[in-house]
Amino acid sequence: TKNVKVYAKKWEPKNGVVLDLNGYTLSSIYSGDFNNGVITIGKGVTFTLTDCNGSGNGKGIVTRDSGQNGRGVYVAGGGVFYMYGGTISGNSAKVGDPVYGGGVYVEAGASFVLAGGTIYACGVQSGAFQAFGGGIYAEGGSVTMTGGAIRNCVVSANNGANGGGVYIYSGASFTMEGGVIAGCSAMGGGGIFTSGSTVRITGGRIENCKASGRGGGLSVRGHADQISVLDAAISGCEAKNGGGVALIG
């Protein structure tokens, strides 16, 4: 019935926990390490995040206190994360070089289903050499987006910053059936960047995303035969090369 402070770098829910934010804020007072988030979902743990009061209205937030950095949610291998509501907001990964995943990090063997709620204004803005995945970073894991939104997420670095909204890498899979990715930006793949992975887009919208290099909406590096865009709207996206979609190699 009130905002909750986590007096640690992370909170690790038990298997089967459903957290209803109910319009309140869950925040950590500390910066995070590489392998944790405000919420850290362990191996073999299934966790559900929802918000019965205020989703999409800037309420029901998972974040870190002002001046602290680190990602919002970390999903370890074998973990499962369902998001039906709430907002993962203002989280910025600044640990290590390169740095990965401001909003949600999905480890190999883990899965994340975004069905509702918003990943908002998360990113990787650290002055690092390279940075990847402002909203979501997945390496070898599975991400399915059936609803919800990824908005205004940004990655920036001195050399190579890809996947403002979503970065899918190294055998990971991304399925988009609904929802919206909007207002995200990066050097490559303002909305989505994929390399060596499987991407299937059958619905939803990618809009008003920007890349200073290639692929304002979607950037595909290698294995273009593993990418299918069957029914989706990509609009208002901008880039130096390939405002909507860029196919590389």
Side-chain angles (χ1 to χ4, degrees):
T1 59
K2 61 181 180 180
N3 296 334
V4 175
K5 297 281 189 183
V6 178
Y7 287 85
K9 294 180 179 180
K10 60 183 177 180
W11 171 57
E12 297 180 273
K14 300 295 185 181
N15 185 40
V17 166
V18 177
L19 174 62
D20 183 350
L21 293 168
N22 196 25
Y24 292 97
T25 296
L26 174 70
S27 63
S28 171
I29 68 168
Y30 295 111
S31 293
D33 295 328
F34 177 80
N35 62 342
N36 63 50
V38 176
I39 301 171
T40 299
I41 301 166
K43 298 180 184 297
V45 171
T46 296
F47 170 75
T48 301
L49 179 68
T50 188
D51 181 19
C52 68
N53 181 14
S55 281
N57 297 316
K59 299 179 180 180
I61 295 171
V62 176
T63 190
R64 292 188 186 270
D65 280 3
S66 177
Q68 307 304 316
N69 58 71
R71 64 181 55 89
V73 178
Y74 186 96
V75 191
V80 180
F81 175 31
Y82 294 102
M83 183 172 176
Y84 293 102
T87 302
I88 299 171
S89 176
N91 296 281
S92 182
K94 297 186 178 181
V95 181
D97 195 351
V99 285
Y100 310 91
V104 179
Y105 185 106
V106 182
E107 197 175 81
S111 66
F112 172 35
V113 178
L114 176 59
T118 303
I119 300 172
Y120 177 77
C122 293
V124 176
Q125 304 174 58
S126 63
F129 182 68
Q130 292 180 313
F132 308 103
I136 300 171
Y137 177 93
E139 182 173 349
S142 167
V143 177
T144 302
M145 186 174 182
T146 62
I150 302 168
R151 296 185 183 274
N152 297 2
C153 293
V154 178
V155 288
S156 63
N158 296 330
N159 181 41
N162 297 324
V166 180
Y167 188 98
I168 306 295
Y169 179 65
S170 187
S173 66
F174 177 71
T175 301
M176 184 175 185
E177 300 172 354
V180 58
I181 300 171
C184 299
S185 63
M187 291 182 181
I192 302 169
F193 183 97
T194 177
S195 177
S197 300
T198 301
V199 173
R200 179 178 173 85
I201 301 175
T202 60
R205 307 190 316 275
I206 303 169
E207 56 191 31
N208 302 325
C209 294
K210 296 182 180 181
S212 58
R214 298 172 175 173
L218 169 64
S219 180
V220 179
R221 178 172 293 169
H223 297 287
D225 59 320
Q226 296 179 359
I227 312 300
S228 60
V229 181
L230 303 177
D231 185 12
I234 301 175
S235 65
C237 298
E238 302 176 11
K240 183 177 180 180
N241 296 292
V245 178
L247 302 177
I248 307 163

